[in-house]
């Protein structure tokens, strides 16, 4: 019987991107106010075995081959805090990821599938971690660079980017003491000085949305040398429980996105490459910013699978007391390929639900729909005042006046 593949409804045909997130552990060494993992779940100290990690990545790569229109895949490794895992487990996971992705791309190069890139982000808060722990990430990056040089000839021009990412927000308690911010800066500089590509996640809390965009991007891009990536703030976990002070107004967000987009464009012109994202010029869709992807596959520390990143972080404490307990798909070390068929079915149901919802919403008549894809999926219904929407359409009116 032929493998099941994901069929994309016509009104979502513009999408090209999928995200594969693996969370080997939930425990963390800090307690940010906006975190989508509840502090109750951060108490879990159990973590994934290397065997389960390898099988989870296999399942992600096999599933990615069942998405015929996918061009770009993001692999995201995140906790909790990964640096809390044993060093040998981390080394095993990162090296295996590099080797597995290279084999996947080498196989894809001859397959006729449209996939052209894999981006892999290994995420750490880089707070209260010693140099020995940072060196685990440095060695992972060095291994990636060396292997890519060895194997580039087999990739047929397909690209594989690996970064070690961290985060910054001024209002979430991340930098709970002034010296913690200085220590974080030192750690980021330590990584950069060793040639590591460092990405910087800016999550859309009020503190980020009302920051001085030029001053902050100048500091992050020109002075520090990281690549800032803005993400909307999805209020789950701690963010739902105690995020009131993190909320922004609709107009604050519109002003921020326009200022961010304009300055990111100026930096790109200056540098000849995109150095801050999102990038609002017409063409590509906003599927990443809006979590409106072909598919999102998340594998939790115990192998439990979910088809959304933020919302799933609240539910999957353990399979036993999960509200979805009985119908949660799970990766196990000996999981067979039947699991990938089951994942395709779940992803298909999710896409069909989304397609129907969009076809019957105000978005259906919006000139920005093929580009916007329906706004940030977690803001639908939140901004419903006159002229408001989950995509902040005024931003697209500003950057994409040519949309018919
Ligand atoms: S801009 Fe707003 S109305 Fe238009 S598609 Fe996006 S979310 Fe929907």
């Amino acid at each position: 019987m032929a493998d099941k593949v994901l069929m994309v409804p016509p009104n979502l045909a513009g999408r090209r991107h999928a995200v594969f997130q693996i969370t080997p552990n939930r425990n963390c060494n800090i307690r940010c106010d906006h975190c989508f993992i509840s502090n109750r779940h951060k108490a879990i100290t159990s973590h994934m075995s290397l065997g389960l990690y390898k099988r989870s990545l296999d399942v992600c790569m096999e599933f990615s081959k069942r998405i015929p229109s996918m061009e770009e895949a993001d692999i995201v490794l995140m906790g909790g805090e990964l640096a809390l895992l044993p060093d040998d487990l981390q080394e095993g996971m990162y090296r295996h990821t590099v080797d597995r992705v290279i084999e996947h791309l080498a196989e894809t190069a001859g397959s006729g599938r449209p996939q052209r890139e894999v981006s892999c982000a290994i995420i750490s808060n880089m707070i209260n971690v010693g140099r020995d722990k940072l060196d685990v990430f440095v060695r992972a990056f060095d291994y990636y660079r060396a292997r890519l040089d060895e194997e580039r000839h087999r990739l047929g021009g397909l690209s594989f980017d690996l970064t070690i990412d961290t985060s910054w927000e001024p209002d979430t308690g991340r930098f709970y003491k002034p010296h913690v911010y200085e220590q974080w800066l030192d750690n980021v500089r330590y990584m950069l000085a060793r040639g590591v590509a460092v990405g910087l996640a800016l999550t859309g809390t009020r503190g980020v949305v009302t920051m001085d965009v030029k001053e902050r991007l100048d500091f992050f891009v020109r002075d520090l040398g990281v690549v800032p990536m803005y993400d909307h703030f999805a209020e789950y976990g701690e963010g739902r429980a105690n995020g009131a002070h993190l909320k922004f107004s609709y107009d604050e967000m519109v002003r921020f996105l326009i200022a961010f987009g304009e300055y990111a464009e100026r930096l790109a012109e200056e540098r000849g490459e995109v150095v801050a994202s999102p990038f609002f010029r017409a063409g590509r869709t906003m599927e990443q910013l809006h979590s409106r992807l072909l598919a999102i596959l998340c594998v939790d520390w115990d192998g439990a699978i979910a088809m959304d990143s933020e919302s799933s972080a609240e539910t999957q404490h353990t399979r036993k007391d999960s509200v979805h307990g009985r119908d949660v798909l799970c990766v196990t070390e000996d999981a067979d390929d039947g699991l990938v068929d089951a994942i395709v079915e779940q992803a298909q149901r999710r896409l069909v639900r989304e397609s129907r919802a969009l076809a019957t919403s105000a978005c259906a008549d919006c000139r920005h729909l093929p580009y916007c894809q329906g706004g940030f999926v977690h803001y639908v219904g939140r901004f419903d005042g006159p002229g408001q929407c989950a995509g902040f359409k005024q931003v697209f009116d500003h950057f994409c006046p040519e949309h018919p």
Side-chain angles (χ1 to χ4, degrees):
M1 193 167 76
D3 288 342
K4 289 184 192 306
V5 297
L6 199 63
M7 310 303 287
V8 180
N11 65 341
L12 309 184
R15 300 181 187 185
R16 293 288 175 268
H17 217 104
V19 168
F20 307 96
Q21 176 186 310
I22 303 180
T23 299
N25 64 325
R26 291 275 188 129
N27 56 331
C28 189
N29 56 352
I30 58 175
R31 295 287 183 269
C32 301
D33 295 342
H34 72 308
C35 186
F36 57 82
I37 299 179
S38 305
N39 289 348
R40 166 170 97 93
H41 295 162
K42 293 192 190 79
I44 299 170
T45 54
S46 311
H47 56 72
M48 221 176 227
S49 67
L50 184 56
L52 183 58
Y53 177 79
K54 290 181 175 178
R55 190 66 191 121
S56 300
L57 187 58
D58 282 345
V59 166
C60 291
M61 295 292 96
E62 287 310 312
F63 173 48
S64 76
K65 293 196 274 184
R66 311 288 195 84
I67 311 173
S69 54
M70 186 189 77
E71 293 179 12
E72 298 170 24
D74 273 4
I75 298 173
V76 179
L77 306 189
M78 61 185 294
E81 173 49 44
L82 294 176
L84 297 182
L85 293 166
D87 292 3
D88 57 350
L89 173 60
Q90 286 187 70
E91 309 257 17
M93 289 190 323
Y94 305 148
R95 286 173 170 249
H96 178 74
T97 305
V98 169
D99 296 337
R100 185 68 179 81
V101 170
I102 285 173
E103 287 318 308
H104 173 78
L105 286 172
E107 185 255 332
T108 302
S111 71
R113 290 195 304 272
Q115 185 178 359
R116 50 189 172 79
E117 75 173 63
V118 170
S119 303
C120 179
I122 297 173
I123 302 182
S124 167
N125 61 38
M126 295 186 194
I127 288 176
N128 299 337
V129 289
R131 291 282 186 267
D132 56 332
K133 283 288 181 178
L134 294 178
D135 287 341
V136 173
F137 297 125
V138 173
R139 286 195 292 275
F141 192 79
D142 290 346
Y143 183 77
Y144 151 73
R145 247 191 321 217
R147 291 284 291 126
L148 197 55
D149 287 348
E150 286 164 15
E151 302 288 349
R152 201 182 293 284
H153 64 285
R154 295 175 54 214
L155 305 189
L158 303 188
S159 85
F160 175 21
D161 292 321
L162 184 140
T163 55
I164 310 292
D165 293 0
T166 186
S167 301
W168 178 89
E169 319 86 25
D171 55 343
T172 59
R174 174 184 296 279
F175 308 113
Y176 53 92
K177 287 205 175 100
H179 79 267
V180 174
Y181 175 67
E182 295 309 322
Q183 175 217 86
W184 172 78
L185 268 183
D186 282 353
N187 286 345
V188 173
R189 289 188 174 116
Y190 178 85
M191 303 290 286
L192 293 163
R194 283 151 187 76
V196 174
V198 176
L200 181 68
L202 302 174
T203 304
T205 62
R206 188 159 191 281
V208 166
V209 168
T210 56
M211 75 182 184
D212 178 330
V213 168
K214 181 181 179 312
E215 184 276 332
R216 285 286 86 192
L217 288 191
D218 272 347
F219 174 70
F220 291 139
V221 175
R222 299 181 199 281
D223 303 348
L224 199 53
V226 297
V227 176
M229 304 160 291
Y230 171 75
D231 269 330
H232 280 317
F233 165 39
E235 296 165 23
Y236 293 95
E238 294 308 308
R240 184 207 300 269
N242 59 33
H245 67 290
L246 304 172
K247 283 189 189 308
F248 50 83
S249 75
Y250 187 88
D251 294 345
E252 283 172 335
M253 179 58 81
V254 170
R255 279 196 298 276
F256 166 74
L257 290 173
I258 290 176
F260 190 100
E262 286 183 342
Y263 205 65
E265 197 164 307
R266 200 177 309 161
L267 287 168
E269 279 157 18
E270 195 186 291
R271 300 289 180 98
E273 58 174 344
V274 174
V275 289
S277 66
F279 202 65
F280 289 112
R281 268 304 162 220
R284 293 300 327 278
T285 74
M286 286 289 116
E287 58 197 87
Q288 283 172 287
L289 178 66
H290 292 158
S291 284
R292 297 279 187 174
L293 298 141
L294 285 167
I296 305 175
L297 177 61
C298 306
V299 185
D300 210 345
W301 63 277
D302 61 353
I305 285 174
M307 308 309 278
D308 179 71
S309 168
E310 290 93 348
S311 62
S312 67
E314 274 187 351
T315 54
Q316 291 179 36
H317 184 27
T318 64
R319 273 167 270 177
K320 283 193 300 312
D321 72 358
S322 160
V323 288
H324 312 287
R326 63 197 173 289
D327 59 6
V328 170
L329 296 174
C330 289
V331 182
T332 58
E333 290 196 34
D334 56 3
D336 64 26
D337 280 349
L339 176 62
V340 178
D341 281 339
I343 292 169
V344 172
E345 285 167 15
Q346 276 208 4
Q348 190 68 65
R349 285 197 291 274
R350 184 174 185 273
L351 271 189
V352 170
R353 269 199 313 275
E354 214 187 316
S355 163
R356 288 193 184 129
L358 278 177
T360 54
S361 73
C363 296
D365 310 321
C366 175
R367 68 195 183 101
H368 299 305
L369 179 57
Y371 179 72
C372 168
Q373 292 288 315
F376 185 44
V377 69
H378 302 291
Y379 287 166
V380 173
R382 173 161 164 199
F383 298 108
D384 48 15
Q388 298 187 340
C389 68
F392 309 97
K393 73 173 67 174
Q394 293 77 5
V395 176
F396 305 140
D397 292 340
H398 179 86
F399 286 109
C400 312
E402 70 283 356
H403 281 168

